[in-house]
Amino acid sequence: MFKIKKSVHLWGYLALLLMLTGCLQKVERTPVNYYVLEYQPGTEKPELRRTTNTGKNLEVLNTVLSRTYDRNQIVVKENFYNVKFLQTDVWAMRLRDAIPNLIVQRLRAYN
């Protein structure tokens, strides 16, 4: 009887030790890269700037994105039928906000 109890305790301690070593291992995390879309004034062409104001206003409406691209992950279109969602490369802002902002900044630079 004493031998069986000792064996059960030994197996219990061994199982506990195995569980604890599994919990104490360091989890390796893949670093996430964040990307932004920013306006680059160096890409402007001086010959496209207007010297006179036309007196007309232009309004940039909200962007409508396909559901495929309306996400945080960067989407790579591999061919006509396949897209790839990058898990570790993500946008730091919403594309539906960034795209109209870029268009507005470009229009302001030329007018």
Side-chain angles (χ1 to χ4, degrees):
M1 183 78 169
F2 181 68
K3 198 173 189 182
I4 294 174
K5 277 188 172 181
K6 191 174 182 183
S7 176
V8 169
H9 284 275
L10 181 63
W11 283 109
Y13 288 132
L14 197 59
L16 181 65
L17 182 66
L18 284 173
M19 285 191 298
L20 287 178
T21 57
C23 294
L24 296 177
Q25 290 180 351
K26 184 178 178 184
V27 176
E28 194 130 341
R29 294 186 183 198
T30 306
V32 176
N33 302 309
Y34 293 93
Y35 296 90
V36 294
L37 292 176
E38 287 185 350
Y39 182 71
Q40 301 292 321
T43 62
E44 295 173 3
K45 295 181 180 181
E47 63 270 11
L48 295 178
R49 289 183 190 218
R50 296 181 148 268
T51 55
T52 59
N53 191 346
T54 62
K56 297 180 182 178
N57 291 326
L58 183 63
E59 183 178 343
V60 177
L61 300 176
N62 294 335
T63 305
V64 178
L65 292 175
S66 165
R67 285 181 43 191
T68 305
Y69 301 104
D70 193 15
R71 56 182 54 241
N72 285 349
Q73 291 117 343
I74 293 181
V75 181
V76 176
K77 188 169 184 176
E78 294 182 330
N79 58 42
F80 190 72
Y81 300 105
N82 296 330
V83 293
K84 181 178 178 181
F85 299 106
L86 304 179
Q87 299 299 323
T88 59
D89 296 315
V90 297
W91 294 113
M93 85 277 290
R94 300 169 115 195
L95 282 182
R96 71 173 76 140
D97 297 334
I99 292 171
N101 288 342
L102 287 173
I103 294 170
V104 166
Q105 289 177 357
R106 179 63 81 171
L107 290 173
R108 283 186 182 149
Y110 287 134
N111 196 2

